[in-house]
Amino acid sequence: MFTEITKERGSKNKIIKLGTTNRLTKMTDEKGELLPIFKEIKTNFFVDLKKYYAGMIDGDGRIIFNKKRLVCALELTENAAFPVIELSNIFDLTISRRVRTGKNNKTKPTLMINMYGFKAKWFLINIYPYLLEKKEKCKTILISAGCPEHFFEDPFMEYRKFSYEYLAGYTDAEGCIGMYKYKTYSFHYSLSSTNFKQLSFILENLKKNGFKVKINLQKREKDNCKPFYQLTVIGGHKDRAKLYNKLLPFIKIKHKIEGMKNTIKYNEISNMIDRRKNEME
């Protein structure tokens, strides 16, 4: 059994999986070749995963450079933590389970990973070309962590790229997917962010791909909370199903997969009913 530890006031953390390469002091050996762990990462961290985790980190990730220490962290609720587990397996990371304490605390337990030093640097370099919201912050931190500035002069590194893999990661982080029944079925897909520029970029690219989209400003119930923007796909089940067919190959969180599949199934049944009605006329 791993020892339960308290890392901060108000929570209890327990290590449930221990990484075996946590204290790396270099990335290459004496011959200049990548260490075995980085070769494994290079083999298993495919381009579609890089794009997905760029979206996930833009939404839910934390990137910190403090006192010459580079940290990249991801924390998700336990029932939606597959991305945490997958990254842990690829990068050989320690996973901790966090339970918030306190009489009135209703927060669900979470799983979290922290990448440090060379692993964090390797991860960020790989997802940097596909980042949107945290791109400039990541660039500044990587330069502070020792990456040469000319590394970022390549247009491939700087150009802001839209992809459905990225959108899947951002949807798993910041998306809301719904299929509700009140007399008739209604459908919902939205993304939330305090960054209007981020959502505007996604909106323009979805419009280019034939989707009807809008952005609204949403005010929170608590006066001291910052308002946020919400991007919503307009239309019925056909519009959502079209988008979900693009996203579903890359979505990783179970309840969002199920929500998309239910909408796609409803759309297929609706199309079948419409075809039969047309045949009978």
Side-chain angles (χ1 to χ4, degrees):
M1 291 289 294
F2 293 113
T3 303
E4 192 173 271
I5 56 175
T6 301
K7 287 189 176 181
E8 61 183 52
R9 187 178 179 182
S11 70
K12 290 183 179 179
N13 299 345
K14 183 178 181 180
I15 295 174
I16 61 172
K17 181 208 166 192
L18 191 63
T20 60
T21 54
N22 289 337
R23 298 182 179 276
L24 297 173
T25 58
K26 56 185 179 179
M27 194 179 292
T28 58
D29 59 19
E30 292 75 11
K31 297 179 181 178
E33 295 184 359
L34 287 173
L35 296 178
I37 179 59
F38 291 107
K39 287 182 179 179
E40 282 187 40
I41 294 170
K42 189 175 181 180
T43 300
N44 297 319
F45 200 35
F46 306 114
V47 172
D48 62 326
L49 292 176
K50 294 174 185 178
K51 293 176 180 179
Y52 172 89
Y53 281 106
M56 174 58 69
I57 294 300
D58 265 349
D60 273 341
R62 289 184 295 118
I63 308 170
I64 305 164
F65 186 71
N66 187 20
K67 296 180 180 179
K68 298 184 179 181
R69 193 185 197 196
L70 177 59
V71 184
C72 184
L74 181 63
E75 182 176 4
L76 299 172
T77 55
E78 192 172 27
N79 64 348
F82 180 84
V84 167
I85 296 167
E86 183 176 56
L87 269 186
S88 170
N89 290 336
I90 295 172
F91 282 78
D92 186 27
L93 303 170
T94 294
I95 301 178
S96 295
R97 183 177 188 267
R98 172 178 287 179
V99 179
R100 265 76 176 185
T101 56
K103 293 181 180 179
N104 300 320
N105 196 305
K106 297 180 181 180
T107 308
K108 295 179 180 179
T110 60
L111 298 186
M112 59 180 178
I113 50 173
N114 290 292
M115 299 186 207
Y116 301 100
F118 288 104
K119 278 188 184 177
K121 192 173 183 179
W122 186 254
F123 174 71
L124 293 175
I125 287 171
N126 275 275
I127 69 168
Y128 177 82
Y130 312 107
L131 285 171
L132 297 176
E133 189 169 337
K134 293 186 172 82
K135 198 174 188 74
E136 285 304 312
K137 179 180 180 179
C138 183
K139 177 181 177 179
T140 301
I141 285 175
L142 283 173
I143 290 172
S144 299
C147 285
E149 291 191 37
H150 67 76
F151 176 77
F152 302 96
E153 294 174 359
D154 186 337
F156 173 76
M157 298 294 287
E158 288 299 284
Y159 181 69
R160 287 164 60 84
K161 308 168 186 66
F162 173 84
S163 69
Y164 288 109
E165 294 95 326
Y166 173 93
L167 186 58
Y170 201 75
T171 298
D172 271 348
E174 302 289 0
C176 178
I177 296 160
M179 177 177 171
Y180 313 103
K181 185 178 181 182
Y182 179 72
K183 294 184 180 179
T184 59
Y185 282 100
S186 61
F187 305 86
H188 180 80
Y189 172 87
S190 66
L191 300 171
S192 299
S193 176
T194 56
N195 190 320
F196 180 75
K197 183 179 178 181
Q198 162 77 351
L199 292 186
S200 295
F201 182 82
I202 294 173
L203 177 142
E204 291 303 320
N205 280 277
L206 286 176
K207 281 185 173 180
K208 288 177 185 177
N209 285 276
F211 296 99
K212 296 178 182 178
V213 197
K214 66 177 181 179
I215 296 177
N216 292 323
L217 178 65
Q218 303 287 332
K219 293 185 178 180
R220 303 180 195 265
E221 293 181 2
K222 296 180 180 179
D223 293 334
N224 59 342
C225 291
K226 187 178 180 181
F228 65 96
Y229 298 95
Q230 189 174 71
L231 178 151
T232 307
V233 172
I234 307 168
H237 57 85
K238 294 182 186 295
D239 303 273
R240 271 73 170 191
K242 179 184 173 184
L243 177 61
Y244 296 165
N245 277 315
K246 300 281 189 182
L247 296 179
L248 199 52
F250 313 110
I251 292 288
K252 299 183 184 296
I253 292 179
K254 185 178 179 181
H255 70 269
K256 295 187 179 182
I257 292 172
E258 290 173 351
M260 290 185 178
K261 284 184 175 180
N262 289 338
T263 301
I264 291 170
K265 186 66 176 178
Y266 181 93
N267 184 61
E268 290 172 348
I269 293 171
S270 177
N271 289 340
M272 183 178 66
I273 292 171
D274 289 342
R275 284 195 299 270
R276 287 181 178 177
K277 284 182 179 179
N278 292 334
E279 290 170 359
M280 293 174 65
E281 292 177 356

